[in-house]
């Protein structure tokens, strides 16, 4: 497997590779996003805030009465966040915006965790391409907060 991919992701093996034993071995790699953009093309990678040694994705969040910013881990499946301002509340949905230009991130599909939950899509290229993007739920603590390649979500949601 290539370690670096053209689409801006680096493949990190989670443990030293043994001989392939089962199809599950593919689960032992995680993607790290090293490029991420708002729908208008701002780079939202925040080199000043690293989470588990990788610069995070800076995102502005709003819900009634709250306006803040957090940095999300760029590592797939890693739920760590640094909250820069405001507060996140477990089980509560936030609307997510670019911290630079304020444009709202696009919604890919609804998340099944709550009737109004959304899977937010963040492009890995300056021009948004749904097949080259990551997605996660905008409800704090939702298990679908993990990164999924959005093309996979589209396929799953059509099943
Ligand atoms: Zn922007
Ligand atoms: Zn959810």
């Amino acid at each position: 497997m290539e370690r670096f991919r053209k689409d801006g992701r680096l493949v990190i093996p989670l443990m030293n590779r043994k001989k392939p034993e089962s199809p599950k071995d593919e689960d032992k790699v995680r993607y790290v996003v090293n490029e991420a953009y708002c729908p208008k093309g701002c780079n939202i990678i925040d080199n000043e805030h690293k989470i588990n040694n990788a610069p995070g994705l800076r995102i502005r969040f709003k819900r009634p009465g709250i306006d803040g910013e957090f940095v999300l881990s760029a590592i797939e499946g890693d739920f760590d966040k640094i909250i820069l301002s405001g507060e996140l509340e477990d089980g509560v949905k936030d609307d997510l915006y670019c911290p630079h230009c304020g444009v709202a991130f696009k919604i890919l599909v609804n998340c099944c965790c709550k009737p109004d939950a959304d899977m937010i899509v963040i492009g890995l290229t300056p021009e948004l391409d749904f097949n080259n993007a990551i997605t996660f739920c905008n409800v704090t603590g939702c298990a679908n907060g993990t990164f999924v390649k959005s093309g996979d979500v589209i396929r799953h949601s059509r099943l």
Side-chain angles (χ1 to χ4, degrees):
M1 184 179 296
E2 290 175 66
R3 271 182 73 82
F4 292 92
R5 295 170 54 120
K6 255 254 151 89
D7 62 7
R9 293 181 304 177
L10 165 66
V11 178
I12 293 193
L14 285 191
M15 53 184 71
N16 289 332
R17 282 194 156 264
K18 293 181 272 177
K19 277 183 209 144
E21 285 159 9
S22 72
K24 276 255 148 196
D25 271 14
E26 287 192 16
D27 296 345
K28 289 173 188 161
V29 297
R30 291 189 185 189
Y31 293 113
V32 176
V33 170
N34 53 19
E35 281 186 78
Y37 299 89
C38 90
K40 289 199 168 165
C42 307
N43 185 350
I44 61 160
I45 294 289
D46 186 343
N47 288 302
E48 284 168 25
H49 295 96
K50 292 192 178 177
I51 302 178
N52 300 323
N53 295 321
L57 280 61
R58 187 157 177 161
I59 294 168
R60 185 169 180 194
F61 62 94
K62 287 188 211 176
R63 62 179 187 274
I66 302 278
D67 186 340
E69 282 187 9
F70 63 75
V71 178
L72 177 71
S73 171
I75 301 169
E76 179 191 20
D78 182 0
F79 289 85
D80 287 354
K81 284 191 186 104
I82 299 170
I83 298 178
L84 303 176
S85 58
E87 274 172 35
L88 291 173
E89 209 176 307
D90 218 33
V92 174
K93 165 188 157 169
D94 295 284
D95 292 317
L96 304 180
Y97 301 88
C98 172
H100 304 296
C101 73
V103 72
F105 285 103
K106 301 265 187 238
I107 293 163
L108 184 68
V109 289
N110 292 330
C111 179
C112 54
C113 72
K114 275 181 197 279
D116 67 340
D118 307 308
M119 297 296 285
I120 299 298
V121 63
I122 295 186
L124 304 180
T125 50
E127 198 137 334
L128 182 59
D129 168 4
F130 283 93
N131 287 308
N132 196 0
I134 53 165
T135 183
F136 56 92
C137 179
N138 61 358
V139 171
T140 299
C142 173
N144 294 328
T146 185
F147 287 173
V148 188
K149 226 183 133 191
S150 61
D152 295 337
V153 171
I154 292 168
R155 275 191 290 281
H156 285 137
S157 65
R158 280 179 185 157
L159 290 178

